[in-house]
Amino acid sequence: MSYAVLHMQKLKQPAIKGIQIHNQREKESQTNGDIDGLRSHLNYDLVNSKPIDYSEKVNKMIEEGVTTGKAIRKDAVKVASFLVTSDSEYFQNLSEREERRFFESAYEFFADEYGEKNIAYAMVHKDEKTPHMHVGFVPITEDGRLSAKDFFGKKQQLAKLQDKFHDHMVREGFDLERGVSTDRKHVESTKYKALTLQQMEKDAKEKYERTIGQIHEITDKTKAIENIESKKVLGLVGMKEQDYQSLVDYATNGVIYQVKAENLEKDLEKAKKEVEQLKSDMQIGQDKVRHYYKHIEENLDSLVKEKVIEKMKKTDIVKKYENLIEKYNGLVNKYNDQLKEKKQLKQQVDTLKIENRSYQNENRELKSENGKLKEKLTQISKEFSVFKERVGKVLHAQIDRVKTFLRINNAEPGMIKYLDDRQGKLVQDSLQKLEKPQREKQRDMGMER
């Protein structure tokens, strides 16, 4: 599992120029061999579109943001410079687009946490072994003070910042563990020192061997001069040209060689002491490494347990699980209630269907009976019409007989005329009285239907 790495370094005014040179690659580095100059053009700044003067920008931000009216102390921390990264293997598994989103997400965290107006730079370096980003935060408080102490004065503040940064990156979709900052830090630091001492011992040995070689060279030259053979010819001393040249060279540079030899002897002695000291320091470093690794090994279980408990408290998994169970049970109960209600409704629908079929059958029977009654009524109406017609004829015949009787008996003409005038109406009234019971019966039958 890869870690979300976040380191912070406080910078005062003199150090700002140095971080500018490093971030913007203004000079070739003599100390960082990891920088590949052929890839430096891939570096980019998420805040500034082109190289800037860090001091000028930082001081302008302070001038505009600090409102106390007091002069800024010369030894004030002006920039909190963050290093954001992970291990190289993690970035190798990211596409170019995802890698850029990684640094953009990290920048958004600082912009939200401290205010975008207080971020001086966010330089991403892609020309070293592991991609990383340097973020420069000018520590200006909400009430207009320049105070790094307000933000990073307590150890808990940095630990909390690590937690928040890790949570943010995980929410953004990056599968990372929180960076470790306790015993692991001491182990890595001691391990680094031990490796450094080992390299220093190697350099000292090489210097020692070079010094011995130079001393041997001077000794050989001295012996060569001592072995020169001379011959007297006509009172003059003669020798080979090569031997003569060596003698002249020694005579010319003898004092220099002597001083150089003495200095080399001193350097050799000093190198021997350095080697012995380095061996002692390296042993101490190795002992510390073993001590810290042993401490971690002995406390690994408890550290893991504490880490798990801390993470469980932070994410409140148990509580969320209980809430989910409660919601699930509520949904199950609601579903069961709805299922029961559905069964009841189905039973009611089935009952209504049966009743509806019964009503339909009854309705068909009533329609059939009604049809028969209509036929019967029609028949009765026809028969009554015939009967009424006959009664009308009988009534007319009787009135005619009455009129004949009156004429025979010499009744008053007015009475006979009255009967003539009223004969039709008298017959009609009599028929209506005869029809009244029949109409009432028909009405009653209609109401029953």
Side-chain angles (χ1 to χ4, degrees):
M1 176 61 71
S2 298
Y3 291 86
V5 178
L6 177 64
H7 294 305
M8 189 273 290
Q9 181 183 9
K10 298 175 183 176
L11 303 179
K12 298 180 181 179
Q13 182 61 51
I16 294 177
K17 184 64 176 178
I19 195 69
Q20 173 188 324
I21 293 171
H22 171 75
N23 282 357
Q24 299 184 156
R25 302 296 194 242
E26 295 178 0
K27 294 181 181 178
E28 184 177 351
S29 176
Q30 302 297 324
T31 57
N32 190 347
D34 291 340
I35 297 175
D36 181 0
L38 298 176
R39 291 175 52 82
S40 294
H41 67 281
L42 300 174
N43 298 343
Y44 56 90
D45 192 329
L46 293 173
V47 175
N48 307 293
S49 59
K50 59 182 180 180
I52 63 166
D53 186 318
Y54 278 21
S55 293
E56 182 179 334
K57 181 169 184 177
V58 169
N59 289 330
K60 185 177 180 181
M61 291 167 69
I62 293 172
E63 183 181 347
E64 293 176 353
V66 176
T67 58
T68 58
K70 297 180 181 179
I72 304 300
R73 291 171 48 184
K74 291 183 178 180
D75 62 345
V77 174
K78 291 189 173 181
V79 177
S81 187
F82 292 95
L83 173 67
V84 178
T85 187
S86 185
D87 56 85
S88 57
E89 184 179 353
Y90 179 77
F91 287 110
Q92 288 171 5
N93 293 325
L94 295 181
S95 64
E96 285 288 330
R97 185 175 181 179
E98 277 296 282
E99 179 188 296
R100 186 177 180 97
R101 194 174 74 83
F102 175 93
F103 292 117
E104 288 175 345
S105 298
Y107 168 73
E108 288 172 5
F109 168 78
F110 290 106
D112 292 341
E113 186 72 14
Y114 301 122
E116 194 169 11
K117 64 179 181 179
N118 293 325
I119 307 299
Y121 56 83
M123 175 62 72
V124 178
H125 284 157
K126 292 173 61 64
D127 58 354
E128 296 185 50
K129 289 182 179 179
T130 304
H132 57 274
M133 178 169 66
H134 297 277
V135 180
F137 160 53
V138 180
I140 299 174
T141 62
E142 291 184 358
D143 58 352
R145 292 177 296 111
L146 181 68
S147 176
K149 186 177 180 181
D150 278 35
F151 297 97
F152 314 111
K154 298 177 182 178
K155 187 177 180 180
Q156 295 88 338
Q157 289 173 299
L158 287 172
K160 187 176 180 181
L161 183 66
Q162 285 270 12
D163 291 335
K164 292 170 72 174
F165 176 70
H166 170 254
D167 292 343
H168 171 79
M169 296 305 287
V170 170
R171 282 196 303 273
E172 290 296 312
F174 299 100
D175 187 16
L176 295 165
E177 284 287 338
R178 183 196 182 282
V180 179
S181 58
T182 54
D183 288 335
R184 181 185 178 92
K185 180 179 177 181
H186 296 301
V187 169
E188 296 300 330
S189 176
T190 307
K191 187 176 179 181
Y192 171 77
K193 289 179 180 177
L195 292 172
T196 303
L197 291 171
Q198 200 171 18
Q199 183 62 41
M200 290 173 68
E201 181 190 16
K202 182 180 177 182
D203 293 342
K205 282 183 178 179
E206 290 177 356
K207 185 178 180 181
Y208 171 79
E209 289 171 359
R210 286 197 304 272
T211 303
I212 289 294
Q214 291 174 340
I215 290 174
H216 285 321
E217 183 183 351
I218 293 172
T219 302
D220 291 341
K221 286 185 178 181
T222 303
K223 286 181 179 179
I225 291 171
E226 288 176 352
N227 293 330
I228 292 175
E229 295 181 358
S230 61
K231 295 179 180 180
K232 285 188 178 182
V233 180
L234 299 175
L236 299 174
V237 178
M239 63 184 69
K240 294 179 181 179
E241 185 177 356
Q242 182 180 357
D243 293 338
Y244 172 75
Q245 196 63 42
S246 297
L247 185 61
V248 171
D249 182 56
Y250 184 77
T252 306
N253 301 301
V255 177
I256 296 174
Y257 282 140
Q258 185 177 355
V259 173
K260 190 174 182 180
E262 291 175 356
N263 290 336
L264 288 171
E265 287 286 353
K266 291 178 183 179
D267 290 342
L268 180 60
E269 193 63 31
K270 184 178 179 182
K272 285 180 179 179
K273 290 180 180 179
E274 286 179 357
V275 168
E276 292 301 322
Q277 182 63 43
L278 289 170
K279 283 182 178 180
S280 175
D281 291 344
M282 188 170 69
Q283 185 63 45
I284 294 171
Q286 290 173 343
D287 290 342
K288 285 184 178 180
V289 170
R290 282 193 290 270
H291 168 74
Y292 283 120
Y293 273 121
K294 184 179 179 182
H295 176 71
I296 287 178
E297 187 177 359
E298 290 173 351
N299 295 279
L300 183 60
D301 291 339
S302 60
L303 287 171
V304 171
K305 186 177 179 181
E306 289 175 6
K307 185 79 174 176
V308 171
I309 292 173
E310 180 185 351
K311 195 160 187 176
M312 285 184 70
K313 286 180 179 178
K314 184 170 63 178
T315 57
D316 207 4
I317 295 172
V318 175
K319 187 174 180 181
K320 287 183 179 178
Y321 181 72
E322 289 175 350
N323 290 338
L324 286 173
I325 290 177
E326 187 177 348
K327 287 181 180 178
Y328 173 78
N329 290 336
L331 289 172
V332 169
N333 293 334
K334 188 175 181 180
Y335 172 79
N336 290 334
D337 291 340
Q338 290 179 344
L339 190 63
K340 186 177 179 180
E341 186 178 352
K342 183 181 178 182
K343 288 180 179 179
Q344 292 175 349
L345 289 172
K346 188 176 183 301
Q347 290 175 353
Q348 291 176 2
V349 168
D350 292 338
T351 303
L352 289 171
K353 283 182 178 179
I354 294 170
E355 291 178 355
N356 185 47
R357 282 195 292 270
S358 176
Y359 289 142
Q360 286 176 349
N361 293 332
E362 186 176 350
N363 188 43
R364 280 195 292 270
E365 292 174 358
L366 289 171
K367 281 184 178 180
S368 176
E369 186 178 350
N370 188 43
K372 291 177 181 179
L373 288 172
K374 281 184 178 180
E375 289 176 1
K376 189 175 181 181
L377 184 60
T378 302
Q379 183 63 32
I380 292 171
S381 295
K382 288 179 180 179
E383 291 176 354
F384 182 77
S385 295
V386 173
F387 173 74
K388 190 172 70 171
E389 187 178 353
R390 288 177 182 176
V391 170
K393 289 179 180 180
V394 170
L395 289 173
H396 277 292
Q398 287 179 350
I399 292 172
D400 287 338
R401 284 196 291 270
V402 169
K403 286 191 295 183
T404 301
F405 175 78
L406 290 173
R407 287 190 188 98
I408 293 171
N409 292 299
N410 296 314
E412 291 182 0
M415 185 177 291
I416 296 170
K417 189 176 182 307
Y418 174 78
L419 288 173
D420 287 334
D421 295 336
R422 302 287 296 177
Q423 182 176 346
K425 188 172 185 312
L426 289 171
V427 172
Q428 188 66 31
D429 289 345
S430 296
L431 291 175
Q432 285 180 354
K433 288 179 181 179
L434 184 66
E435 286 179 344
K436 185 175 180 182
Q438 181 67 20
R439 284 198 300 269
E440 288 177 353
K441 186 176 181 181
Q442 288 179 346
R443 187 175 65 249
D444 292 339
M445 289 178 66
M447 290 177 66
E448 288 178 1
R449 291 196 297 272

